[in-house]
PDB file of all heavy atoms in Angstrom:
ATOM      1  N   PRO A  53       6.299 -43.120 -11.538  1.00 94.00           N
ATOM      2  CA  PRO A  53       7.123 -42.174 -10.954  1.00 94.00           C
ATOM      3  C   PRO A  53       7.067 -42.225  -9.506  1.00 94.00           C
ATOM      4  O   PRO A  53       6.076 -42.235  -8.846  1.00 94.00           O
ATOM      5  CB  PRO A  53       6.588 -40.796 -11.561  1.00 94.00           C
ATOM      6  CG  PRO A  53       5.732 -41.207 -12.688  1.00 94.00           C
ATOM      7  CD  PRO A  53       5.390 -42.613 -12.539  1.00 94.00           C
ATOM      8  N   ARG A  54       8.239 -42.101  -8.827  1.00 90.00           N
ATOM      9  CA  ARG A  54       8.455 -42.191  -7.403  1.00 90.00           C
ATOM     10  C   ARG A  54       8.031 -40.863  -6.832  1.00 90.00           C
ATOM     11  O   ARG A  54       8.431 -39.788  -7.211  1.00 90.00           O
ATOM     12  CB  ARG A  54       9.822 -42.571  -7.021  1.00 90.00           C
ATOM     13  CG  ARG A  54      10.095 -42.907  -5.566  1.00 90.00           C
ATOM     14  CD  ARG A  54      11.380 -43.452  -5.289  1.00 90.00           C
ATOM     15  NE  ARG A  54      11.505 -43.754  -3.849  1.00 90.00           N
ATOM     16  CZ  ARG A  54      12.594 -44.272  -3.329  1.00 90.00           C
ATOM     17  NH1 ARG A  54      13.591 -44.633  -4.145  1.00 90.00           N
ATOM     18  NH2 ARG A  54      12.646 -44.447  -2.014  1.00 90.00           N
ATOM     19  N   GLY A  55       7.279 -41.012  -5.677  1.00 91.00           N
ATOM     20  CA  GLY A  55       6.887 -39.731  -5.001  1.00 91.00           C
ATOM     21  C   GLY A  55       5.529 -39.149  -5.299  1.00 91.00           C
ATOM     22  O   GLY A  55       5.242 -38.062  -4.917  1.00 91.00           O
ATOM     23  N   LEU A  56       4.637 -39.942  -5.940  1.00 93.00           N
ATOM     24  CA  LEU A  56       3.302 -39.418  -6.185  1.00 93.00           C
ATOM     25  C   LEU A  56       2.524 -39.072  -4.978  1.00 93.00           C
ATOM     26  O   LEU A  56       1.715 -38.148  -4.996  1.00 93.00           O
ATOM     27  CB  LEU A  56       2.482 -40.560  -6.998  1.00 93.00           C
ATOM     28  CG  LEU A  56       2.877 -40.745  -8.432  1.00 93.00           C
ATOM     29  CD1 LEU A  56       2.019 -41.888  -8.950  1.00 93.00           C
ATOM     30  CD2 LEU A  56       2.569 -39.481  -9.313  1.00 93.00           C
ATOM     31  N   GLY A  57       2.949 -39.682  -3.941  1.00 91.00           N
ATOM     32  CA  GLY A  57       2.194 -39.379  -2.634  1.00 91.00           C
ATOM     33  C   GLY A  57       2.526 -37.951  -2.057  1.00 91.00           C
ATOM     34  O   GLY A  57       1.853 -37.423  -1.192  1.00 91.00           O
ATOM     35  N   LEU A  58       3.532 -37.265  -2.702  1.00 92.00           N
ATOM     36  CA  LEU A  58       3.824 -35.853  -2.260  1.00 92.00           C
ATOM     37  C   LEU A  58       2.826 -34.977  -2.783  1.00 92.00           C
ATOM     38  O   LEU A  58       2.681 -33.847  -2.313  1.00 92.00           O
ATOM     39  CB  LEU A  58       5.177 -35.558  -2.817  1.00 92.00           C
ATOM     40  CG  LEU A  58       6.405 -36.327  -2.190  1.00 92.00           C
ATOM     41  CD1 LEU A  58       7.670 -35.834  -2.887  1.00 92.00           C
ATOM     42  CD2 LEU A  58       6.517 -36.047  -0.679  1.00 92.00           C
ATOM     43  N   LEU A  59       2.022 -35.360  -3.886  1.00 93.00           N
ATOM     44  CA  LEU A  59       0.968 -34.495  -4.422  1.00 93.00           C
ATOM     45  C   LEU A  59      -0.252 -34.844  -3.626  1.00 93.00           C
ATOM     46  O   LEU A  59      -1.012 -35.643  -3.965  1.00 93.00           O
ATOM     47  CB  LEU A  59       0.819 -34.760  -5.992  1.00 93.00           C
ATOM     48  CG  LEU A  59       2.120 -34.729  -6.787  1.00 93.00           C
ATOM     49  CD1 LEU A  59       1.815 -35.321  -8.181  1.00 93.00           C
ATOM     50  CD2 LEU A  59       2.521 -33.282  -6.792  1.00 93.00           C
ATOM     51  N   GLN A  60      -0.484 -34.049  -2.594  1.00 91.00           N
ATOM     52  CA  GLN A  60      -1.410 -34.299  -1.630  1.00 91.00           C
ATOM     53  C   GLN A  60      -2.895 -34.212  -2.089  1.00 91.00           C
ATOM     54  O   GLN A  60      -3.902 -34.738  -1.379  1.00 91.00           O
ATOM     55  CB  GLN A  60      -1.207 -33.496  -0.313  1.00 91.00           C
ATOM     56  CG  GLN A  60       0.142 -33.763   0.316  1.00 91.00           C
ATOM     57  CD  GLN A  60       0.365 -32.990   1.552  1.00 91.00           C
ATOM     58  OE1 GLN A  60      -0.459 -32.157   1.946  1.00 91.00           O
ATOM     59  NE2 GLN A  60       1.462 -33.236   2.187  1.00 91.00           N
ATOM     60  N   SER A  61      -3.098 -33.452  -3.184  1.00 95.00           N
ATOM     61  CA  SER A  61      -4.553 -33.284  -3.654  1.00 95.00           C
ATOM     62  C   SER A  61      -4.880 -34.210  -4.825  1.00 95.00           C
ATOM     63  O   SER A  61      -5.849 -34.118  -5.498  1.00 95.00           O
ATOM     64  CB  SER A  61      -4.716 -31.849  -4.039  1.00 95.00           C
ATOM     65  OG  SER A  61      -4.648 -31.010  -2.924  1.00 95.00           O
ATOM     66  N   LEU A  62      -3.873 -35.014  -5.278  1.00 95.00           N
ATOM     67  CA  LEU A  62      -3.904 -35.809  -6.513  1.00 95.00           C
ATOM     68  C   LEU A  62      -5.139 -36.731  -6.475  1.00 95.00           C
ATOM     69  O   LEU A  62      -5.211 -37.623  -5.584  1.00 95.00           O
ATOM     70  CB  LEU A  62      -2.631 -36.578  -6.709  1.00 95.00           C
ATOM     71  CG  LEU A  62      -2.415 -37.169  -8.066  1.00 95.00           C
ATOM     72  CD1 LEU A  62      -2.363 -36.105  -9.197  1.00 95.00           C
ATOM     73  CD2 LEU A  62      -1.155 -38.000  -8.119  1.00 95.00           C
ATOM     74  N   GLN A  63      -6.058 -36.612  -7.473  1.00 95.00           N
ATOM     75  CA  GLN A  63      -7.243 -37.464  -7.583  1.00 95.00           C
ATOM     76  C   GLN A  63      -7.216 -38.415  -8.821  1.00 95.00           C
ATOM     77  O   GLN A  63      -7.827 -39.418  -8.819  1.00 95.00           O
ATOM     78  CB  GLN A  63      -8.501 -36.656  -7.572  1.00 95.00           C
ATOM     79  CG  GLN A  63      -8.668 -35.789  -6.302  1.00 95.00           C
ATOM     80  CD  GLN A  63      -9.961 -34.961  -6.399  1.00 95.00           C
ATOM     81  OE1 GLN A  63     -10.825 -35.087  -7.294  1.00 95.00           O
ATOM     82  NE2 GLN A  63     -10.120 -34.030  -5.433  1.00 95.00           N
ATOM     83  N   THR A  64      -6.534 -38.028  -9.914  1.00 96.00           N
ATOM     84  CA  THR A  64      -6.599 -38.665 -11.077  1.00 96.00           C
ATOM     85  C   THR A  64      -5.174 -38.890 -11.683  1.00 96.00           C
ATOM     86  O   THR A  64      -4.409 -37.906 -11.758  1.00 96.00           O
ATOM     87  CB  THR A  64      -7.465 -38.016 -12.170  1.00 96.00           C
ATOM     88  OG1 THR A  64      -8.787 -37.923 -11.653  1.00 96.00           O
ATOM     89  CG2 THR A  64      -7.404 -38.753 -13.529  1.00 96.00           C
ATOM     90  N   VAL A  65      -4.752 -40.152 -11.920  1.00 97.00           N
ATOM     91  CA  VAL A  65      -3.476 -40.338 -12.582  1.00 97.00           C
ATOM     92  C   VAL A  65      -3.647 -41.110 -13.897  1.00 97.00           C
ATOM     93  O   VAL A  65      -4.231 -42.312 -13.808  1.00 97.00           O
ATOM     94  CB  VAL A  65      -2.503 -41.069 -11.599  1.00 97.00           C
ATOM     95  CG1 VAL A  65      -1.237 -41.572 -12.371  1.00 97.00           C
ATOM     96  CG2 VAL A  65      -2.257 -40.304 -10.458  1.00 97.00           C
ATOM     97  N   HIS A  66      -3.311 -40.661 -15.018  1.00 97.00           N
ATOM     98  CA  HIS A  66      -3.388 -41.386 -16.383  1.00 97.00           C
ATOM     99  C   HIS A  66      -2.005 -41.703 -16.744  1.00 97.00           C
ATOM    100  O   HIS A  66      -1.292 -40.619 -17.142  1.00 97.00           O
ATOM    101  CB  HIS A  66      -4.247 -40.544 -17.341  1.00 97.00           C
ATOM    102  CG  HIS A  66      -5.708 -40.600 -16.973  1.00 97.00           C
ATOM    103  ND1 HIS A  66      -6.595 -39.687 -17.558  1.00 97.00           N
ATOM    104  CD2 HIS A  66      -6.413 -41.232 -16.002  1.00 97.00           C
ATOM    105  CE1 HIS A  66      -7.828 -39.883 -17.101  1.00 97.00           C
ATOM    106  NE2 HIS A  66      -7.711 -40.853 -16.169  1.00 97.00           N
ATOM    107  N   MET A  67      -1.665 -42.889 -16.898  1.00 98.00           N
ATOM    108  CA  MET A  67      -0.355 -43.199 -17.369  1.00 98.00           C
ATOM    109  C   MET A  67      -0.453 -44.533 -18.451  1.00 98.00           C
ATOM    110  O   MET A  67       0.371 -45.295 -18.545  1.00 98.00           O
ATOM    111  CB  MET A  67       0.583 -43.726 -16.277  1.00 98.00           C
ATOM    112  CG  MET A  67       0.949 -42.569 -15.285  1.00 98.00           C
ATOM    113  SD  MET A  67       2.240 -43.035 -14.043  1.00 98.00           S
ATOM    114  CE  MET A  67       1.194 -44.002 -13.042  1.00 98.00           C
ATOM    115  N   SER A  68      -1.517 -44.386 -19.207  1.00 97.00           N
ATOM    116  CA  SER A  68      -1.673 -45.444 -20.175  1.00 97.00           C
ATOM    117  C   SER A  68      -0.658 -45.355 -21.323  1.00 97.00           C
ATOM    118  O   SER A  68      -0.018 -44.201 -21.512  1.00 97.00           O
ATOM    119  CB  SER A  68      -2.996 -45.411 -20.789  1.00 97.00           C
ATOM    120  OG  SER A  68      -3.291 -44.161 -21.550  1.00 97.00           O
ATOM    121  N   SER A  69      -0.422 -46.421 -22.029  1.00 98.00           N
ATOM    122  CA  SER A  69       0.500 -46.338 -23.229  1.00 98.00           C
ATOM    123  C   SER A  69       1.911 -45.892 -22.885  1.00 98.00           C
ATOM    124  O   SER A  69       2.476 -45.054 -23.472  1.00 98.00           O
ATOM    125  CB  SER A  69      -0.115 -45.524 -24.347  1.00 98.00           C
ATOM    126  OG  SER A  69      -1.357 -46.027 -24.744  1.00 98.00           O
ATOM    127  N   ASN A  70       2.484 -46.540 -21.835  1.00 98.00           N
ATOM    128  CA  ASN A  70       3.833 -46.411 -21.501  1.00 98.00           C
ATOM    129  C   ASN A  70       4.508 -47.806 -21.638  1.00 98.00           C
ATOM    130  O   ASN A  70       4.062 -48.663 -22.271  1.00 98.00           O
ATOM    131  CB  ASN A  70       4.060 -45.708 -20.142  1.00 98.00           C
ATOM    132  CG  ASN A  70       3.894 -44.249 -20.240  1.00 98.00           C
ATOM    133  OD1 ASN A  70       4.809 -43.444 -20.520  1.00 98.00           O
ATOM    134  ND2 ASN A  70       2.735 -43.631 -19.887  1.00 98.00           N
ATOM    135  N   ALA A  71       5.611 -47.907 -20.872  1.00 97.00           N
ATOM    136  CA  ALA A  71       6.310 -49.212 -20.824  1.00 97.00           C
ATOM    137  C   ALA A  71       6.496 -49.681 -19.404  1.00 97.00           C
ATOM    138  O   ALA A  71       7.475 -50.387 -19.071  1.00 97.00           O
ATOM    139  CB  ALA A  71       7.580 -49.090 -21.560  1.00 97.00           C
ATOM    140  N   ILE A  72       5.587 -49.362 -18.575  1.00 97.00           N
ATOM    141  CA  ILE A  72       5.693 -49.687 -17.064  1.00 97.00           C
ATOM    142  C   ILE A  72       5.579 -51.298 -16.955  1.00 97.00           C
ATOM    143  O   ILE A  72       4.594 -51.844 -17.609  1.00 97.00           O
ATOM    144  CB  ILE A  72       4.512 -49.086 -16.369  1.00 97.00           C
ATOM    145  CG1 ILE A  72       4.722 -47.517 -16.348  1.00 97.00           C
ATOM    146  CG2 ILE A  72       4.411 -49.550 -14.884  1.00 97.00           C
ATOM    147  CD1 ILE A  72       3.500 -46.728 -15.843  1.00 97.00           C
ATOM    148  N   GLN A  73       6.465 -51.819 -16.148  1.00 96.00           N
ATOM    149  CA  GLN A  73       6.517 -53.243 -16.158  1.00 96.00           C
ATOM    150  C   GLN A  73       5.903 -53.867 -14.945  1.00 96.00           C
ATOM    151  O   GLN A  73       5.534 -55.118 -15.016  1.00 96.00           O
ATOM    152  CB  GLN A  73       8.017 -53.712 -16.271  1.00 96.00           C
ATOM    153  CG  GLN A  73       8.630 -53.280 -17.573  1.00 96.00           C
ATOM    154  CD  GLN A  73      10.112 -53.610 -17.718  1.00 96.00           C
ATOM    155  OE1 GLN A  73      10.599 -54.467 -17.072  1.00 96.00           O
ATOM    156  NE2 GLN A  73      10.800 -52.904 -18.628  1.00 96.00           N
ATOM    157  N   GLN A  74       5.920 -53.258 -13.804  1.00 94.00           N
ATOM    158  CA  GLN A  74       5.229 -53.756 -12.606  1.00 94.00           C
ATOM    159  C   GLN A  74       4.927 -52.696 -11.618  1.00 94.00           C
ATOM    160  O   GLN A  74       5.253 -51.510 -11.760  1.00 94.00           O
ATOM    161  CB  GLN A  74       6.306 -54.699 -11.872  1.00 94.00           C
ATOM    162  CG  GLN A  74       7.638 -53.931 -11.399  1.00 94.00           C
ATOM    163  CD  GLN A  74       8.581 -54.976 -10.728  1.00 94.00           C
ATOM    164  OE1 GLN A  74       8.878 -56.103 -11.315  1.00 94.00           O
ATOM    165  NE2 GLN A  74       8.966 -54.671  -9.579  1.00 94.00           N
ATOM    166  N   ILE A  75       4.003 -52.970 -10.722  1.00 94.00           N
ATOM    167  CA  ILE A  75       3.541 -52.110  -9.728  1.00 94.00           C
ATOM    168  C   ILE A  75       4.099 -52.485  -8.372  1.00 94.00           C
ATOM    169  O   ILE A  75       3.764 -53.630  -7.850  1.00 94.00           O
ATOM    170  CB  ILE A  75       2.062 -52.009  -9.712  1.00 94.00           C
ATOM    171  CG1 ILE A  75       1.420 -51.745 -11.096  1.00 94.00           C
ATOM    172  CG2 ILE A  75       1.628 -50.983  -8.738  1.00 94.00           C
ATOM    173  CD1 ILE A  75       1.861 -50.497 -11.759  1.00 94.00           C
ATOM    174  N   ASP A  76       4.960 -51.662  -7.802  1.00 93.00           N
ATOM    175  CA  ASP A  76       5.607 -52.069  -6.458  1.00 93.00           C
ATOM    176  C   ASP A  76       4.920 -51.439  -5.221  1.00 93.00           C
ATOM    177  O   ASP A  76       3.985 -50.616  -5.449  1.00 93.00           O
ATOM    178  CB  ASP A  76       7.020 -51.467  -6.499  1.00 93.00           C
ATOM    179  CG  ASP A  76       7.847 -52.105  -7.485  1.00 93.00           C
ATOM    180  OD1 ASP A  76       7.683 -53.232  -7.790  1.00 93.00           O
ATOM    181  OD2 ASP A  76       8.841 -51.453  -8.070  1.00 93.00           O
ATOM    182  N   PRO A  77       5.118 -52.022  -4.096  1.00 90.00           N
ATOM    183  CA  PRO A  77       4.288 -51.609  -2.933  1.00 90.00           C
ATOM    184  C   PRO A  77       4.234 -50.117  -2.622  1.00 90.00           C
ATOM    185  O   PRO A  77       3.292 -49.640  -2.021  1.00 90.00           O
ATOM    186  CB  PRO A  77       4.830 -52.478  -1.821  1.00 90.00           C
ATOM    187  CG  PRO A  77       6.185 -52.860  -2.277  1.00 90.00           C
ATOM    188  CD  PRO A  77       6.076 -52.964  -3.795  1.00 90.00           C
ATOM    189  N   LYS A  78       5.396 -49.395  -2.893  1.00 92.00           N
ATOM    190  CA  LYS A  78       5.414 -48.049  -2.605  1.00 92.00           C
ATOM    191  C   LYS A  78       5.073 -47.056  -3.809  1.00 92.00           C
ATOM    192  O   LYS A  78       5.151 -45.851  -3.614  1.00 92.00           O
ATOM    193  CB  LYS A  78       6.833 -47.666  -2.104  1.00 92.00           C
ATOM    194  CG  LYS A  78       7.220 -48.390  -0.853  1.00 92.00           C
ATOM    195  CD  LYS A  78       8.520 -47.947  -0.285  1.00 92.00           C
ATOM    196  CE  LYS A  78       8.912 -48.646   1.050  1.00 92.00           C
ATOM    197  NZ  LYS A  78      10.202 -48.180   1.623  1.00 92.00           N
ATOM    198  N   ASP A  79       4.704 -47.564  -4.888  1.00 93.00           N
ATOM    199  CA  ASP A  79       4.420 -46.748  -6.075  1.00 93.00           C
ATOM    200  C   ASP A  79       3.340 -45.719  -5.785  1.00 93.00           C
ATOM    201  O   ASP A  79       3.350 -44.628  -6.246  1.00 93.00           O
ATOM    202  CB  ASP A  79       4.111 -47.547  -7.294  1.00 93.00           C
ATOM    203  CG  ASP A  79       5.338 -48.161  -7.879  1.00 93.00           C
ATOM    204  OD1 ASP A  79       6.375 -47.723  -7.555  1.00 93.00           O
ATOM    205  OD2 ASP A  79       5.132 -49.120  -8.706  1.00 93.00           O
ATOM    206  N   PHE A  80       2.269 -46.096  -5.121  1.00 92.00           N
ATOM    207  CA  PHE A  80       1.107 -45.200  -4.746  1.00 92.00           C
ATOM    208  C   PHE A  80       1.010 -44.987  -3.236  1.00 92.00           C
ATOM    209  O   PHE A  80      -0.089 -44.696  -2.767  1.00 92.00           O
ATOM    210  CB  PHE A  80      -0.147 -45.949  -5.372  1.00 92.00           C
ATOM    211  CG  PHE A  80      -0.139 -45.936  -6.821  1.00 92.00           C
ATOM    212  CD1 PHE A  80       0.064 -47.195  -7.436  1.00 92.00           C
ATOM    213  CD2 PHE A  80      -0.301 -44.809  -7.573  1.00 92.00           C
ATOM    214  CE1 PHE A  80       0.176 -47.363  -8.874  1.00 92.00           C
ATOM    215  CE2 PHE A  80      -0.186 -45.024  -9.028  1.00 92.00           C
ATOM    216  CZ  PHE A  80       0.009 -46.266  -9.605  1.00 92.00           C
ATOM    217  N   GLN A  81       2.121 -45.101  -2.602  1.00 90.00           N
ATOM    218  CA  GLN A  81       2.081 -44.904  -1.128  1.00 90.00           C
ATOM    219  C   GLN A  81       1.627 -43.495  -0.919  1.00 90.00           C
ATOM    220  O   GLN A  81       2.172 -42.523  -1.437  1.00 90.00           O
ATOM    221  CB  GLN A  81       3.441 -45.214  -0.560  1.00 90.00           C
ATOM    222  CG  GLN A  81       3.464 -45.220   1.000  1.00 90.00           C
ATOM    223  CD  GLN A  81       4.862 -45.646   1.474  1.00 90.00           C
ATOM    224  OE1 GLN A  81       5.869 -45.373   0.793  1.00 90.00           O
ATOM    225  NE2 GLN A  81       4.897 -46.192   2.662  1.00 90.00           N
ATOM    226  N   ASN A  82       0.737 -43.329   0.145  1.00 90.00           N
ATOM    227  CA  ASN A  82       0.241 -42.053   0.629  1.00 90.00           C
ATOM    228  C   ASN A  82      -0.614 -41.351  -0.346  1.00 90.00           C
ATOM    229  O   ASN A  82      -0.973 -40.125  -0.173  1.00 90.00           O
ATOM    230  CB  ASN A  82       1.394 -41.117   1.037  1.00 90.00           C
ATOM    231  CG  ASN A  82       2.195 -41.733   2.245  1.00 90.00           C
ATOM    232  OD1 ASN A  82       1.580 -42.268   3.186  1.00 90.00           O
ATOM    233  ND2 ASN A  82       3.470 -41.576   2.258  1.00 90.00           N
ATOM    234  N   CYS A  83      -1.057 -41.941  -1.496  1.00 91.00           N
ATOM    235  CA  CYS A  83      -1.886 -41.302  -2.511  1.00 91.00           C
ATOM    236  C   CYS A  83      -3.385 -41.441  -1.964  1.00 91.00           C
ATOM    237  O   CYS A  83      -4.248 -42.021  -2.587  1.00 91.00           O
ATOM    238  CB  CYS A  83      -1.744 -41.909  -3.816  1.00 91.00           C
ATOM    239  SG  CYS A  83      -0.195 -41.685  -4.552  1.00 91.00           S
ATOM    240  N   SER A  84      -3.726 -40.771  -0.801  1.00 88.00           N
ATOM    241  CA  SER A  84      -4.933 -41.103  -0.134  1.00 88.00           C
ATOM    242  C   SER A  84      -6.073 -40.558  -0.854  1.00 88.00           C
ATOM    243  O   SER A  84      -7.299 -40.894  -0.531  1.00 88.00           O
ATOM    244  CB  SER A  84      -4.854 -40.588   1.290  1.00 88.00           C
ATOM    245  OG  SER A  84      -4.501 -39.172   1.291  1.00 88.00           O
ATOM    246  N   GLN A  85      -5.886 -39.536  -1.695  1.00 92.00           N
ATOM    247  CA  GLN A  85      -7.084 -38.814  -2.377  1.00 92.00           C
ATOM    248  C   GLN A  85      -7.284 -39.514  -3.778  1.00 92.00           C
ATOM    249  O   GLN A  85      -8.311 -38.995  -4.514  1.00 92.00           O
ATOM    250  CB  GLN A  85      -6.784 -37.370  -2.475  1.00 92.00           C
ATOM    251  CG  GLN A  85      -6.507 -36.609  -1.215  1.00 92.00           C
ATOM    252  CD  GLN A  85      -7.685 -36.725  -0.188  1.00 92.00           C
ATOM    253  OE1 GLN A  85      -8.808 -36.631  -0.632  1.00 92.00           O
ATOM    254  NE2 GLN A  85      -7.415 -37.103   1.016  1.00 92.00           N
ATOM    255  N   LEU A  86      -6.540 -40.441  -4.160  1.00 92.00           N
ATOM    256  CA  LEU A  86      -6.602 -40.952  -5.619  1.00 92.00           C
ATOM    257  C   LEU A  86      -7.957 -41.633  -5.875  1.00 92.00           C
ATOM    258  O   LEU A  86      -8.353 -42.532  -5.073  1.00 92.00           O
ATOM    259  CB  LEU A  86      -5.514 -41.870  -5.939  1.00 92.00           C
ATOM    260  CG  LEU A  86      -5.057 -42.153  -7.344  1.00 92.00           C
ATOM    261  CD1 LEU A  86      -4.728 -40.908  -8.065  1.00 92.00           C
ATOM    262  CD2 LEU A  86      -3.990 -43.193  -7.485  1.00 92.00           C
ATOM    263  N   LYS A  87      -8.578 -41.223  -6.875  1.00 90.00           N
ATOM    264  CA  LYS A  87      -9.956 -41.879  -7.141  1.00 90.00           C
ATOM    265  C   LYS A  87      -9.886 -42.556  -8.534  1.00 90.00           C
ATOM    266  O   LYS A  87     -10.652 -43.431  -8.756  1.00 90.00           O
ATOM    267  CB  LYS A  87     -10.950 -40.715  -7.305  1.00 90.00           C
ATOM    268  CG  LYS A  87     -11.257 -39.980  -6.035  1.00 90.00           C
ATOM    269  CD  LYS A  87     -12.332 -38.915  -6.199  1.00 90.00           C
ATOM    270  CE  LYS A  87     -12.601 -38.289  -4.901  1.00 90.00           C
ATOM    271  NZ  LYS A  87     -13.658 -37.136  -5.094  1.00 90.00           N
TER     272      LYS A  87
END
């Protein structure tokens, strides 16, 4: 999903068991709190 970096407190993202095909350079841009 585009825009994850807008969620400024986001620490955990679980997206297993989908159909995601590639990880692009801006997909996790500005996700500075992600652990």
Side-chain angles (χ1 to χ4, degrees):
R54 185 171 180 176
L56 287 174
L58 296 174
L59 304 172
Q60 298 181 355
S61 298
L62 194 63
Q63 297 181 10
T64 298
V65 174
H66 288 171
M67 291 186 289
S68 66
S69 301
N70 278 278
I72 298 170
Q73 299 177 18
Q74 64 184 49
I75 307 298
D76 293 329
K78 294 185 178 181
D79 283 346
F80 298 102
Q81 189 175 28
N82 298 322
C83 293
S84 58
Q85 303 300 314
L86 199 61
K87 298 179 180 181

